[in-house]
Amino acid sequence: MSAAHAPVVALSGGVGGAKLAHGLARTAPAGGLVVVANTGDDFEHLGLRICPDIDTLVYTLSDTADTTRGWGRADETWHFLEALERLGGPDWFRLGDRDLAMHVLRTERLRSGRLLSAVTRELATALGIDTPIVPMSDDPVRTILDTDEGLLDFQDYFVHRQCRPRVRAIEYRGARSARPSPPLAALLAGDVPCAAVLCPSNPHLSIDPILAVPDVRAWLERSTVRVVAVSPIVGGEALKGPAAKLLRELAGSSSALAIAEHYAGLLDILVIDEQDAHLAPRIEALGISVQVDDTVMRSIPDRDRLARRVLRCLA
Ligand code: FO1
């Protein structure tokens, strides 16, 4: 009897990750994909629980994401924020009027005792999303950055200080005692051969917090789990965000090879951009197979094409 088909498990955070997750959701067979979201960026703001990487996935997979800003919703208005600012409230973290509904409803349901994974499923379903979007944990994990401006919470570093401080170390506070969310735990407990995709997200800020949740890394290291990553670094730079800067500050260099080294021991395959084809031999010397493709996703068809390439790697 052929092994039951386990879904492909995609780990994602940020905009790049959401783009590939979107392509995978559009091209994978029904029930063939689960997306695990980073929650290390989550924080409390104005009494609301904000879950940026979950929301980027929910908006992207429901085709309601703002593609210019890279976060929040399209067709947004800012009356709440203007009124807040006039009252002397903090406007450094911009909450749009439509986006606010997501945070208010999530916060209210969490306060009533629901788990983040259950609330996320309800909200994603309300927006017509079939693909399960699963928080890495329902327990709090917070990315804290040790910088030359002191210890910074994630959003303080990322939004308030616009990633300018120099980072010396990163802590995923709470990860050691965090439990995988129930849907993720069910996947980790499965003994059917599986496949995992490390989406082109920031390795330090989006993927490593997920790997820090106990049992996740060990699951990916299983011989029965085939792991493919798409490099978020193209030509030494990130397409968006501080991934290249953090690699330089924490690993000494930024390249698709640095990505391979960062994930050494986990990867079976690394998909790199055509601009980095010359790095393939050095990546293969690490025991990682290399696929070279155009990995820059400028359109929905680009997302579908790259997703099909990734799924073919895993077939
Ligand atoms: N990022 C910004 O750079 N500026 C903002 O004002 C901002 C507001 C915001 C509101 C809701 C939300 O879900 C995300 C928001 N982000 C903002 C993005 C967020 O900080 C990052 O997307 C993640 O934390 C890193 O991927």
Side-chain angles (χ1 to χ4, degrees):
M1 182 184 81
S2 71
H5 272 282
V8 171
V9 180
L11 279 54
S12 177
V15 177
K19 287 181 176 178
L20 181 61
H22 191 202
L24 289 168
R26 290 164 50 89
T27 55
L33 175 71
V34 173
V35 182
V36 179
N38 166 44
T39 59
D41 301 2
D42 297 4
F43 76 131
E44 304 294 320
H45 184 62
L46 296 168
L48 297 169
R49 170 79 70 85
I50 311 288
C51 303
D53 283 354
I54 289 176
D55 290 349
T56 297
L57 281 165
V58 168
Y59 293 144
T60 302
L61 270 64
S62 61
D63 299 298
T64 56
D66 180 277
T67 51
T68 315
R69 266 180 276 119
W71 47 267
R73 288 192 51 151
D75 311 320
E76 193 53 281
T77 53
W78 306 92
H79 303 295
F80 162 77
L81 199 67
E82 285 155 19
L84 181 79
E85 201 264 336
R86 198 163 304 132
L87 291 170
D91 65 347
W92 63 273
F93 193 79
R94 297 167 49 74
L95 292 173
D97 298 327
R98 289 189 167 86
D99 188 31
L100 198 52
M102 179 72 78
H103 308 306
V104 168
L105 207 47
R106 171 186 289 124
T107 303
E108 188 269 335
R109 291 183 182 177
L110 291 173
R111 275 212 190 107
S112 70
R114 308 296 310 279
L115 293 175
L116 180 60
S117 47
V119 173
T120 302
R121 187 182 62 250
E122 289 163 5
L123 296 172
T125 303
L127 287 179
I129 297 172
D130 298 327
T131 301
I133 295 172
V134 171
M136 66 192 202
S137 176
D138 290 327
D139 302 321
V141 179
R142 296 291 175 265
T143 298
I144 308 290
L145 298 104
D146 179 3
T147 78
D148 58 4
E149 295 179 24
L151 279 181
L152 301 177
D153 290 343
F154 179 87
Q155 297 298 342
D156 184 359
Y157 165 78
F158 194 90
V159 180
H160 226 162
R161 300 170 196 245
Q162 294 169 5
C163 306
R164 277 193 299 268
R166 186 174 178 69
V167 176
R168 292 188 284 249
I170 302 177
E171 177 196 357
Y172 308 112
R173 191 166 292 167
R176 255 194 303 281
S177 55
R179 291 155 295 171
S181 62
L184 177 56
L187 288 167
L188 301 184
D191 56 2
V192 174
C194 239
V197 180
L198 306 188
C199 291
S201 304
N202 185 314
H204 294 101
L205 299 182
S206 296
I207 302 297
D208 284 0
I210 303 174
L211 301 180
V213 173
D215 302 335
V216 173
R217 182 181 286 270
W219 180 77
L220 291 168
E221 288 170 342
R222 278 189 207 165
S223 60
T224 53
V225 180
R226 232 161 117 65
V227 183
V228 60
V230 176
S231 174
I233 301 294
V234 173
E237 294 305 327
L239 297 168
K240 183 177 177 59
K245 178 175 181 284
L246 284 170
L247 276 165
R248 289 191 192 100
E249 290 169 357
L250 295 169
S253 70
S254 168
S255 67
L257 175 59
I259 292 294
E261 288 162 346
H262 187 83
Y263 292 136
L266 286 181
L267 294 189
D268 296 292
I269 303 164
L270 179 63
V271 181
I272 64 175
D273 192 78
E274 288 148 351
Q275 294 179 50
D276 300 312
H278 62 286
L279 294 173
R282 290 166 65 190
I283 296 170
E284 284 160 348
L286 297 171
I288 299 170
S289 304
V290 174
Q291 297 275 328
V292 178
D293 203 327
D294 174 3
T295 62
V296 180
M297 294 174 278
R298 296 180 184 81
S299 66
I300 300 288
D302 282 352
R303 299 179 188 183
D304 294 355
R305 184 181 45 73
L306 185 57
R308 282 195 195 93
R309 180 66 184 255
V310 165
L311 292 173
R312 271 202 309 277
C313 290
L314 293 169

